[in-house]
Amino acid sequence: MSDNQKWLLSAILSILFVATSAGSSMASRSHDLPADINPSARYLFYLHGKIAEDKGPNGMNRQYGAYDYFGLLKAFEGYGFTVVSALRPRGTKPGRYAHRIARQIEKLKSAGVPSRNIAVVGFSKGGVITFYVSAALDDPELNYVVMAGCGKGSFARAYKQILKNVAPSLSGRFLSIYDRSDDSGGTCKEAFKKGAGSIKSSEIKLKTGLGHGVFYRPRNVWLKPVTEWITEN
C-alpha cells in the first residue's frame, strides 16, 4: 500500500470515528452559558484548537486525522461538567476573545458559583487564549489547563508574546499537559516561572508518540489526569 493510500484510509477511518462519537444530537446541542446557573455545578470552558477555526469542528489534518470537537465536549460532560464552548471564527484574536470568556466567568461568579468550580481548558491556540483569560481575571482560585499551547513550532511567536506581556499578570491554578513528541507545543515552565508569585502550577509530559494529535480526540491518557486535577481542589 502506498503512502497516499495509507493516508486516505486513515482519513476515512477518522471521519467514521468522528461521525460515530459525535452523533446527530450533539450537532444541535447548545453549549452556551446556561440561562439558569446552578451555583453548585462545575463549569468547564473548552477552547478548541486553531484547526477548528480554519476547517470546522471536524477539520482534517493530514498527520493527525479529524478533529473531534463535539466528541470532546461530550467527553467532558461525561465527567460531570457543565460545558461552555463555541466555535470561533477564523483569525480570532486571542486577547480579544479572552475578554468574552472572562465576562462569562464573572457572570458565573456573580450568580454564586465558587471560582474553584470553574475551569478553562484550552488546546493549541485555545491554550494561548487560556493565558489571556487568566491575566484578565486575576483570580487565584480559578482553574486553567493548557494543552500543547506553549513553546515551539508554529506557537513560538505567540508564546514569546505571552512571556513578555501576559505571564507576569497570570493568576490561578495552572496545569500544562503536552506530548513529548509534539513539534508544535511544549513545556509552559518559563511562563509559570514568570507568574510564580500569583499561580500554582503543575505539568504533565505524555509519552504517547501522537504529538499534537493526542488532543484531537477524547483519549483517557489525558482526559483522566486533566479532569482529576481540576476536581482535586
Side-chain angles (χ1 to χ4, degrees):
M1 183 180 293
S2 69
D3 289 342
N4 285 338
Q5 287 173 322
K6 289 178 181 178
W7 180 84
L8 179 60
L9 178 60
S10 175
I12 292 171
L13 291 174
S14 294
I15 291 170
L16 290 174
F17 173 86
V18 170
T20 301
S21 62
S24 58
S25 63
M26 287 299 296
S28 61
R29 185 183 299 180
S30 172
H31 287 88
D32 296 330
L33 196 68
D36 296 321
I37 296 172
N38 178 2
S40 63
R42 284 189 175 270
Y43 293 85
L44 187 148
F45 290 78
Y46 177 70
L47 305 176
H48 60 71
K50 186 176 183 294
I51 189 170
E53 281 190 23
D54 296 340
K55 299 182 179 181
N58 301 142
M60 179 67 66
N61 178 281
R62 186 177 181 89
Q63 182 178 358
Y64 306 127
Y67 192 64
D68 190 8
Y69 173 71
F70 290 113
L72 289 161
L73 303 189
K74 185 177 181 180
F76 282 120
E77 288 179 335
Y79 278 91
F81 294 100
T82 297
V83 178
V84 182
S85 188
L87 288 166
R88 304 185 302 270
R90 181 178 294 190
T92 293
K93 301 297 183 184
R96 187 177 302 172
Y97 194 83
H99 283 286
R100 169 183 171 173
I101 304 301
R103 288 193 297 270
Q104 291 178 310
I105 291 174
E106 292 289 10
K107 186 173 181 179
L108 288 178
K109 291 167 61 177
S110 296
V113 180
S115 296
R116 64 180 179 275
N117 284 5
I118 303 171
V120 182
V121 179
F123 163 58
S124 194
K125 183 176 179 178
V128 173
I129 297 172
T130 297
F131 282 116
Y132 284 90
V133 175
S134 169
L137 286 169
D138 189 23
D139 185 334
E141 294 189 358
L142 284 168
N143 304 289
Y144 299 97
V145 180
V146 178
M147 303 191 300
C150 292
K152 51 187 178 178
S154 59
F155 290 98
R157 183 176 179 182
Y159 189 52
K160 287 180 180 178
Q161 290 298 314
I162 287 171
L163 293 177
K164 180 180 179 181
N165 301 319
V166 182
S169 301
L170 294 178
S171 180
R173 297 178 68 246
F174 271 88
L175 173 66
S176 161
I177 183 168
Y178 68 100
D179 194 88
R180 69 176 180 179
S181 64
D182 195 333
D183 57 6
S184 297
T187 179
C188 295
K189 287 181 179 178
E190 191 173 357
F192 293 161
K193 184 177 180 180
K194 286 182 177 291
S198 302
I199 68 173
K200 296 179 180 178
S201 64
S202 300
E203 187 163 79
I204 299 172
K205 181 165 66 173
L206 302 174
K207 302 176 182 179
T208 68
L210 296 172
H212 214 57
V214 69
F215 301 108
Y216 268 46
R217 299 175 190 169
R219 295 179 166 96
N220 283 335
V221 69
W222 65 264
L223 262 172
K224 191 172 186 293
V226 164
T227 53
E228 286 180 350
W229 179 88
I230 292 171
T231 56
E232 73 182 10
N233 67 335

